[in-house]
């Protein structure tokens, strides 16, 4: 894998997610946040969704909150955080 390829890591995270391998899906999104795109609110929202599926609601809320810090107009982050 190209260590700077946003699309590859995001796609692989989605494959892991659909296979219910939430830990690896979360790890790939964490890699994107740390190494490729730390200001991408959509990745925080997606990782928050994965955290919810993995029964980690506090981590999910934290990611939705970070997404809102980056873009206060991101309505889906408010919605997901309230669920």
């Amino acid at each position: 894998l190209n260590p700077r390829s946003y699309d590859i890591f995001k796609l692989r995270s989605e494959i892991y997610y659909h296979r219910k391998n939430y830990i690896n899906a979360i790890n790939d999104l964490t890699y994107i946040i740390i190494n490729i795109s730390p200001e991408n609110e959509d990745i925080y929202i997606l990782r928050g969704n994965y955290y919810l599926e993995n029964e980690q609601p506090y981590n999910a809320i934290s990611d939705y909150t970070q997404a809102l810090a980056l873009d206060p107009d991101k309505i889906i982050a408010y919605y997901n955080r309230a669920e």
Side-chain angles (χ1 to χ4, degrees):
L1 291 176
N2 178 345
R4 301 297 298 164
S5 179
Y6 169 93
D7 292 328
I8 295 293
F9 281 95
K10 184 173 182 287
L11 178 61
R12 190 171 73 170
S13 80
E14 292 169 354
I15 292 168
Y16 283 138
Y17 174 81
H18 289 290
R19 292 180 175 175
K20 299 189 184 312
N21 186 341
Y22 303 125
I23 298 298
N24 283 332
I26 290 166
N27 288 342
D28 275 355
L29 295 182
T30 300
Y31 181 87
I32 291 172
I33 290 168
I34 292 171
N35 297 297
I36 301 171
S37 188
E39 302 295 317
N40 187 325
E41 69 277 358
D42 292 325
I43 294 298
Y44 283 100
I45 292 169
L46 187 58
R47 190 174 71 169
N49 295 344
Y50 291 0
Y51 276 132
L52 280 181
E53 287 294 325
N54 199 43
E55 299 180 7
Q56 297 180 48
Y58 295 110
N59 289 337
I61 290 168
S62 177
D63 273 3
Y64 298 141
T65 301
Q66 181 61 34
L68 290 169
L70 294 169
D71 183 357
D73 296 326
K74 211 58 155 171
I75 303 301
I76 190 70
Y78 286 106
Y79 177 81
N80 289 354
R81 195 172 68 169
E83 274 195 300

